[in-house]
Amino acid sequence: MATLASEASSDALYLLHEGTQYQSYHFLGSHVEERSGQMGVNFAVWAPNAKQVNVSGSFNGWDGSNHQMSLADGVWTLFIPELGEGTLYKYEIVTLDDECYLKSDPYAFHSELRPGTASIVTSLEGYEWQDEEWLANNTSNQFLQQPLLIYEVHLGSWKRKEDGGFYSYVELADELVEYVHERGYTHIELMPLEEHPLDASWGYQVTSYFSVTSRFGSPKDFMYFVDRCHQKGIGVIMDWVPAHFCKDAHGLTRFDGTPLYEYADSRKGEHPTWGTQVFDYAKPEVLSFLISNALFWMDVYHIDGLRVDAVYSILTLNFDREDEDRIVNEQGGDENLEGIAFLQKLNAVVFSRYPNALMMAEDTSSYPGVTAPVENGGLGFNYKWNLGFTWNTLAYMKKNQEERSSQEDQLTNSLLNAWDENYIIPYAHDEVVHSSKSLLGKMSGDDNWQRFANLRVLYIYMMGHPGKKLLFMGNEFGQIDDWNSEASLEWDLLKFEEHQQFEHFVKNMNHFYIAERALWELDYEPSGFEPINAEDKSDGLVSFIRNAENDDEHLVIMCNFKPEAHEGYRLGVMRPGRYQEVFNSDKQEYGGSGVTNDSTLVSEEWTCQDCPYSITVTIPPLAAIVLKYIPAKG
């Protein structure tokens, strides 16, 4: 890594203050290096408004008076000989008001495990990566036409040890990675792993953006985890939190005695509901910090992409703000023009260096063009979470059968705007916490059989709906209780047959999804989807066709959201030929009633449901079937 004292340091600082220094972690922070034949540690920190900054640590009894740093162009530096890896340290900030306090290093590569808050001198060099094949095959922007099936994980609660302790990155690299691989997922999405003081924040309130959390091991342990994922053909996405940071005293808040990383105007600089502070996106050094951090996880840890949290709060000045506290921009609107510019710059820079990166927006707003290219005025993400689909379908599935008859639009409205953005369909962690019930717990039904059947048909509808897919851990085997971030998932449920059958269903569904190009190849092209327009909008039946680029490769999907079976149902289809049932959520092996279509179905030239041909099919109760088209010969 480069050092601040190199010949190019003035250029590096110029770019830092311009907001275009995208590898600022190369010279800011602590770095083990050699100076004049002597090994030691070079410390560098941006704190332009401090009166004095000293290095305080385990090596000087936490008294920095003998290790004063020198200031040049807003950055304080000091080389201390004979120090090395493992040294605990903080920066002793003396403010213009002569107050003195200790701050963790914003660019530290490793930090103490809570409740400790010291930074740890750590080298990130020397790990021997074994993921060359993954990187070699990951060279073109191909994901829009590839399957993307994401398993969202909170590492602290996927599985706990008998004593309640965490599994390490190294242990998870074997057990979790193999689990995900066997079940057909293409990617793991990790809830935030930047160092954070409070377990209950799940990592969304960060203090050290360049420190992978020490809860599960060392930085090189995490490299091993990512490496093992890639060797198994699994991509790694990490949740990233550039929208806000926590107010803990050792963190970024009022770092040099002034609002340095946050907006000085408290109306813009705080999220009152979250109790956090907002980055000042107008400040060039903050842009250098954030964009360097995004690239850091890709540069150093080979992360394949970032899910950017709370995008809506970056887009607007009035997120979660009362009307009387409303503020406006210079154009009279409530858009945060600086936040919008930051997101556009972030994505432009990331894709200029990593064209195949996955940049996903968790955005609850209706802001247009989230996944449109920056050069066309968009934000430049390549994916956006479709939370409208999530909320509407779950609201429908909670309803009893009598209520559902007039509410089918909740299921199908998302098809009206399915191509407005490049959507990911998520059933994520936010849907199963805070007494909101697990996905299984949300399902209506008179008994467990109906609840499981409801969840199976919902999952097939999700898999058939245009857009890539995400499922939070535990939902693959029918977790019963809310997600508890302080304990293991309910693995003991797999002792019971109905949960074993449901896990078997999800595993088979995942592999079916991966194998069928029609379910993902044209996700973002209207030609990849054809509705089958049934006249009765209250019968609980939703039918549609999914197409691949090959015109003869398509699937007919029929979902029955009511407990009545339909024998001899005439279903409209668009093409003449034969149709074979290739997936059925009602199979007995999945816990269903066993109503299937065992014979090949042959189309007739009989107009039905706005389609020129039709077939006669048996539709099982509370279930989905998938029919594969077999072209007519000759």
Side-chain angles (χ1 to χ4, degrees), residues 585-607:
S585 70
D586 195 49
K587 281 187 174 182
Q588 289 181 338
E589 65 186 273
Y590 302 145
S593 62
V595 176
T596 60
N597 294 273
D598 297 325
S599 301
T600 300
L601 308 174
V602 181
S603 68
E604 299 176 74
E605 198 168 340
W606 182 332
T607 301

Side-chain angles (χ1 to χ4, degrees), residues 45-47 90-91 93 101-107 111 116-119 195-197 205-209 245-262 277 279 289:
V45 62
W46 176 58
K90 287 187 178 181
Y91 294 120
I93 308 287
Y101 46 80
L102 294 176
K103 286 285 189 179
S104 301
D105 188 348
Y107 283 87
S111 301
T117 57
S119 302
E195 196 57 79
H196 52 282
Q205 295 194 12
V206 181
T207 48
S208 295
Y209 275 78
F245 57 89
C246 60
K247 294 182 178 180
D248 291 56
H250 67 282
L252 298 178
T253 184
R254 296 188 65 85
F255 187 80
D256 62 359
T258 69
L260 189 63
Y261 286 89
E262 66 269 35
Q277 298 196 285
F279 283 103
F289 173 82

